[in-house]
Amino acid sequence: MIKKTRAEITKCILHKVANKFNSGQNAFSEDLIRFDQESYDLMKNFLLKPFGSLTQSYRFTNHADVRLNELNNYASEVFKEEASFVEHSKNIVNHLFEQSNSAQIKTGDVLVVFIEGIEYKDVLTEAVGVFKIENKVDFFQTYLDDNESFDVVVQKGISTKRLDKGCLILNTSDTEGTVVFSVDNNNYDAQYWIKNFLNVKLADDYNSHTQSYLEMCKEFSEEVIKPELGMQQQGNFLANTVDYFKENESVDYATFKDEVFDDEKHKEQFDEYKKHFENLNDVLIRNNFDVSGVVLKKEKSKLKTEIKLDTNIIIKLDVDAPEAASEYLERGYDEEKKMKYYKVYFNEEK
């Protein structure tokens, strides 16, 4: 997690990235943006705010040698010599352009910035930021017409409410390499930004271990538990998973299976799914790791434990109460109506 309290944007330049698939051409600026105080404050918050709550970081990778990673090289050169910032900002946009190999990759504005005073693990450092603006919003611009009357015209501009895509490359590293943070709110092609442009992998730490494991459990519940046992048991499994993570400071794979599964069949299915998930996502699921409470809280909110019925009724199960669904919810079949039903027990309405 980074802190931006003392961060300052000292260089910022704007370029236009085209789509290679559609034979477009990039457009480059030669000069840095000169902000007034109001626009600077707004821009700084717009670019850096999404990174304040991130717990997971990435590291550059390359199939042959990490030193061949383009973005890693461009950022390293900027850290060595700030005077090369404009030149390498263009190289970064050209590298982004080379990844647009399909029609769905969007064109847009690319802001490249140099930031000083980013705090990471209680140490101040510099960062190179790359931000792609893919979507613009309509807004009304008021103006005074020739008749000295006020009128409005619709224009398009950048919304400051949400950043489409962005990354921060810190001038700091650990045993795994250079520290990188990334956001992608327009995740229409996950390979384009993370895999092809940045070419990064999640850091091998307890934050990524916790997220990967919970994502695996979520997918297992959707692809295995739900089709075989129904939504109620899917909700039970997810609630038991969350309960295990809440009650234990560390995860042990064998113990987890013993606590959340009642029979050997599902344990074996979970083993097979673990291999499938690892191969599909090119990730290693650790058998033992410490739990990240911050990631657990974040990922827990993504777990859907609703039972949606074709009678326009939704039963929402509390993921924090694993015993509730099995103790107070019964599933049956009504012979007279020829319909399935759920019976819910309670003392009083809230």
Side-chain angles (χ1 to χ4, degrees):
M1 186 178 295
I2 64 170
K3 296 180 181 178
K4 59 184 179 66
T5 307
R6 289 184 277 181
E8 294 293 337
I9 297 175
T10 57
K11 291 182 176 63
C12 179
I13 195 166
L14 174 66
H15 304 299
K16 300 276 187 177
V17 66
N19 184 298
K20 180 181 178 182
F21 184 85
N22 294 328
S23 302
Q25 290 187 334
N26 298 330
F28 298 105
S29 300
E30 298 298 331
D31 298 323
L32 301 177
I33 295 175
R34 298 178 178 85
F35 293 106
D36 58 34
Q37 191 61 48
E38 184 179 6
S39 59
Y40 171 82
D41 292 340
L42 189 61
M43 180 66 75
K44 176 184 171 182
N45 186 64
F46 170 58
L47 298 181
L48 297 185
K49 185 178 179 180
F51 296 90
S53 59
L54 294 184
T55 56
Q56 293 157 284
S57 60
Y58 295 86
R59 302 296 182 272
F60 285 122
T61 185
N62 183 275
H63 69 279
D65 189 328
V66 71
R67 290 173 295 182
L68 299 177
N69 183 297
E70 289 90 341
L71 213 54
N72 187 21
N73 283 332
Y74 298 145
S76 296
E77 290 301 317
V78 172
F79 291 137
K80 290 178 185 176
E81 180 54 65
E82 285 189 44
S84 67
F85 174 80
V86 174
E87 173 192 353
H88 287 304
S89 72
K90 296 178 183 179
N91 292 335
I92 288 171
V93 172
N94 283 329
H95 174 57
L96 181 61
F97 172 78
E98 290 298 322
Q99 314 315 314
S100 56
N101 293 314
S102 73
Q104 69 177 355
I105 302 300
K106 298 177 181 178
T107 61
D109 298 336
V110 179
L111 286 160
V112 183
V113 304
F114 188 84
I115 306 166
E116 297 180 3
I118 285 281
E119 186 176 341
Y120 175 70
K121 291 187 175 180
D122 299 323
V123 176
L124 291 180
T125 188
E126 302 86 28
V128 170
V130 184
F131 308 91
K132 185 184 178 189
I133 312 301
E134 298 179 325
N135 297 313
K136 292 187 178 180
V137 298
D138 294 331
F139 67 93
F140 287 111
Q141 177 64 55
T142 59
Y143 69 98
L144 194 62
D145 64 18
D146 295 336
N147 296 322
E148 298 299 316
S149 296
F150 286 103
D151 205 342
V152 296
V153 63
V154 176
Q155 295 183 337
K156 285 188 176 292
I158 300 171
S159 171
T160 59
K161 292 183 178 180
R162 193 182 76 157
L163 181 67
D164 290 326
K165 286 176 167 62
C167 71
L168 288 179
I169 306 162
L170 305 190
N171 188 18
T172 188
S173 60
D174 53 22
T175 55
E176 293 185 77
T178 303
V179 178
V180 182
F181 289 91
S182 175
V183 294
D184 186 356
N185 288 314
N186 289 345
N187 196 14
Y188 55 85
D189 186 349
Q191 299 297 309
Y192 163 63
W193 184 256
I194 289 291
K195 182 76 173 177
N196 300 336
F197 174 57
L198 297 178
N199 195 5
V200 291
K201 61 180 180 180
L202 280 170
D204 187 19
D205 60 18
Y206 74 120
N207 289 313
S208 63
H209 300 159
T210 301
Q211 176 174 346
S212 296
Y213 201 99
L214 289 172
E215 286 180 349
M216 178 183 68
C217 290
K218 177 185 176 183
E219 296 300 319
F220 178 78
S221 77
E222 188 68 28
E223 297 180 19
V224 179
I225 300 293
K226 179 181 175 181
E228 181 179 333
L229 301 175
M231 291 184 178
Q232 182 180 359
Q233 292 304 316
Q234 179 190 20
N236 285 345
F237 169 73
L238 292 175
N240 287 327
T241 296
V242 169
D243 191 58
Y244 178 89
F245 273 72
K246 286 167 57 180
E247 295 298 322
N248 295 274
E249 293 182 355
S250 61
V251 169
D252 177 80
Y253 182 70
T255 304
F256 173 83
K257 290 192 297 180
D258 288 338
E259 291 199 16
V260 300
F261 297 116
D262 294 327
D263 55 63
E264 290 299 321
K265 174 188 174 182
H266 290 130
K267 292 180 183 179
E268 293 173 3
Q269 287 178 320
F270 194 67
D271 289 335
E272 289 300 315
Y273 193 83
K274 178 175 179 288
K275 296 175 184 177
H276 165 73
F277 186 87
E278 289 175 327
N279 292 331
L280 182 65
N281 297 279
D282 191 24
V283 65
L284 175 64
I285 302 295
R286 300 286 182 180
N287 289 333
N288 301 91
F289 59 89
D290 292 334
V291 173
S292 167
V294 176
V295 173
L296 174 60
K297 182 178 180 180
K298 180 180 179 181
E299 293 300 311
K300 185 178 69 173
S301 64
K302 300 179 183 178
L303 300 179
K304 303 299 182 183
T305 55
E306 295 178 340
I307 301 175
K308 295 183 178 180
L309 308 178
D310 58 4
T311 51
N312 297 320
I313 293 175
I314 298 176
I315 302 173
K316 187 173 182 180
L317 307 177
D318 189 347
V319 75
D320 286 312
E323 74 289 339
S326 57
E327 188 172 352
Y328 304 121
L329 190 66
E330 290 183 9
R331 192 173 188 267
Y333 184 80
D334 189 299
E335 292 290 348
E336 184 178 341
K337 290 188 175 182
K338 304 299 182 184
M339 296 176 70
K340 301 170 186 176
Y341 67 82
Y342 278 105
K343 182 187 291 185
V344 182
Y345 294 91
F346 65 97
N347 291 315
E348 58 183 44
E349 296 177 349
K350 292 187 177 180

